[in-house]
Amino acid sequence: MAAPLSAGNFAEGIRNSRSAPFSLHSRGVQLLDTTRLLDVPHQLKSASRHLRDLLSSLWVFVLIQSWLSVYNVLITISSCAFYSYYHINRSTVAYDLDWTLVAFVIILPMLGFTWLAFRRREEALQDLVQVKSLLLHIYLAHRDWLPAGSVSSMHQATVQQLLFSLVDGMRAYFLPPRFYSRHYPYTGVKKKMMRIATERAKLVRGITASFKKLSKSSEVLQKAGLPDAQLMHLSTQVFQLQCAFERMALVKEYRTPQGIRALARFYVVVFIPLFFGPYYADVRVGAHSFAFALFLAILVHSLRAAASSHLFVVLLGSPVVLRWDPLRMMHRVQRTAAQP
């Protein structure tokens, strides 16, 4: 029989444990395995795995490049060449930047854009988790809140089909991208936008009808003798499910205002390369090499442009935030229905 837990036993356990509370190992950091330091095959496999990860990262970096990255590099080359060879009264306009000014003019706005983008993304993911959880709990309420035989199996099958129709409607609504949420609606796309709006209205009407039927399905439980408190709780779950769907729809349809979107694009693609131009001209003067200054400028701004392009995907309206697997959700409900 194990000894009762006491302060002395707890302290002794900490001293004898390789994974003490609040240690790095308890937070997921692996301890150094000294027995494998000289294990050559293991070290070679580890080195090859990290090299593969590094090459994969390079490949992903190439894949996320866009035309914004190309425009940014072209403006960077033009800015570096202009400030390097343009003279005012036989003196260049090269100067070393004040990094405090850089922090306020460049870094702080980028941090703000990043925070805004990922805050919206995390809120959408929280709503997605709530939708998936409520779908399952509503089915369990219709199946398990009353004794077996109180409601017919036909009612459970009806509720299951209503949940499937909701999942299918949400899938049809959330998966197609809205091109006008990321790009400006120039002339010539009015008919296309009207067609998208008509299809969206049909999908929303279908989802709303499914919510109405799901809400009325609780009348069967009421007639079978379900207490009023549990009926109210079930009605609250349906209400929360619809609210979560509406919040996800707002994230999809109503994106960042066009003024902020225009500022973000112009700021990253045009303003920042022009702002750093005199600094790279100063690098050319100090290194006595225009090629080195140009290489450094292209390297830095291509990395920043690629990161900004990925940021625009989140900030300016990518539907990837709301892409979920409805078939897996349906399979979860079906598997729950088959369990006693």
Side-chain angles (χ1 to χ4, degrees):
M1 183 175 178
L5 182 63
S6 63
N9 294 338
F10 182 72
E12 184 67 23
I14 291 179
R15 286 193 295 269
N16 297 332
S17 175
R18 297 191 67 196
S19 179
F22 313 109
S23 66
L24 292 178
H25 182 55
S26 65
R27 298 182 181 182
V29 179
Q30 294 183 354
L31 295 177
L32 178 61
D33 190 357
T34 56
T35 62
R36 289 200 166 187
L37 286 177
L38 301 179
D39 188 350
V40 177
H42 172 74
Q43 297 298 336
L44 289 177
K45 289 180 181 179
S46 179
S48 63
R49 183 172 63 252
H50 285 83
L51 178 60
R52 181 192 61 192
D53 292 341
L54 182 61
L55 295 177
S56 300
S57 302
L58 178 61
W59 177 243
V60 172
F61 168 73
V62 173
L63 291 179
I64 63 176
Q65 301 295 330
S66 65
W67 281 107
L68 286 179
S69 304
V70 176
Y71 299 148
N72 183 267
V73 169
L74 292 177
I75 295 174
T76 300
I77 295 173
S78 302
S79 174
C80 185
F82 174 79
Y83 285 108
S84 296
Y85 294 104
Y86 180 74
H87 293 77
I88 300 178
N89 297 327
R90 297 184 178 181
S91 62
T92 63
V93 292
Y95 65 87
D96 193 7
L97 291 179
D98 183 359
W99 294 106
T100 303
L101 177 65
V102 171
F104 280 98
V105 176
I106 304 296
I107 300 177
L108 190 61
M110 291 298 297
L111 290 177
F113 290 145
T114 306
W115 174 80
L116 176 63
F118 285 95
R119 187 193 66 173
R120 291 175 63 92
R121 182 179 184 273
E122 293 303 320
E123 290 174 354
L125 290 177
Q126 291 176 6
D127 292 327
L128 178 58
V129 169
Q130 188 175 15
V131 166
K132 296 170 71 174
S133 301
L134 287 173
L135 285 170
L136 185 59
H137 279 275
I138 289 173
Y139 175 76
L140 291 176
H142 283 270
R143 194 193 71 168
D144 297 336
W145 282 10
L146 284 174
S150 300
V151 293
S152 63
S153 58
M154 183 64 68
H155 171 71
Q156 296 180 10
T158 302
V159 173
Q160 185 176 347
Q161 287 303 125
L162 282 174
L163 295 177
F164 285 173
S165 64
L166 272 175
V167 171
D168 190 60
M170 291 181 185
R171 173 186 180 277
Y173 176 74
F174 285 126
L175 284 186
R178 302 290 191 236
F179 76 97
Y180 52 83
S181 65
R182 289 189 59 193
H183 305 285
Y184 294 102
Y186 295 110
T187 58
V189 296
K190 183 177 180 180
K191 292 183 178 180
K192 185 176 182 180
M193 293 182 66
M194 291 297 296
R195 178 174 56 82
I196 292 176
T198 303
E199 293 176 355
R200 174 188 177 277
K202 290 180 180 179
L203 292 172
V204 171
R205 283 197 299 267
I207 295 173
T208 304
S210 297
F211 275 120
K212 181 179 179 181
K213 294 177 182 178
L214 185 61
S215 180
K216 292 188 67 175
S217 65
S218 60
E219 296 177 357
V220 177
L221 301 181
Q222 184 180 17
K223 294 177 181 179
L226 188 69
D228 293 340
Q230 289 181 308
L231 282 172
M232 181 63 68
H233 183 60
L234 179 59
S235 176
T236 302
Q237 286 184 336
V238 176
F239 172 72
Q240 291 175 348
L241 178 61
Q242 187 168 7
C243 288
F245 164 73
E246 293 295 339
R247 287 193 297 268
M248 292 166 64
L250 288 179
V251 172
K252 181 179 181 63
E253 294 293 339
Y254 298 95
R255 304 308 301 171
T256 309
Q258 289 190 7
I260 299 179
R261 290 159 52 190
L263 174 63
R265 282 197 176 101
F266 186 84
Y267 195 85
V268 171
V269 178
V270 179
F271 176 76
I272 293 181
L274 295 178
F275 181 84
F276 276 94
Y279 171 73
Y280 293 115
D282 185 69
V283 171
R284 182 193 71 86
V285 173
H288 303 287
S289 174
F290 174 74
F292 174 76
L294 185 61
F295 169 76
L296 182 64
I298 293 175
L299 179 64
V300 171
H301 288 285
S302 61
L303 290 172
R304 182 194 47 76
S308 302
S309 298
H310 180 68
L311 175 63
F312 287 150
V313 171
V314 181
L315 177 66
L316 304 182
S318 172
V320 80
V321 170
L322 300 177
R323 286 186 177 176
W324 52 305
D325 191 352
L327 296 179
R328 183 177 301 175
M329 189 65 232
M330 293 180 181
H331 176 68
R332 183 184 301 178
V333 175
Q334 285 179 336
R335 185 175 55 189
T336 305
Q339 294 174 353

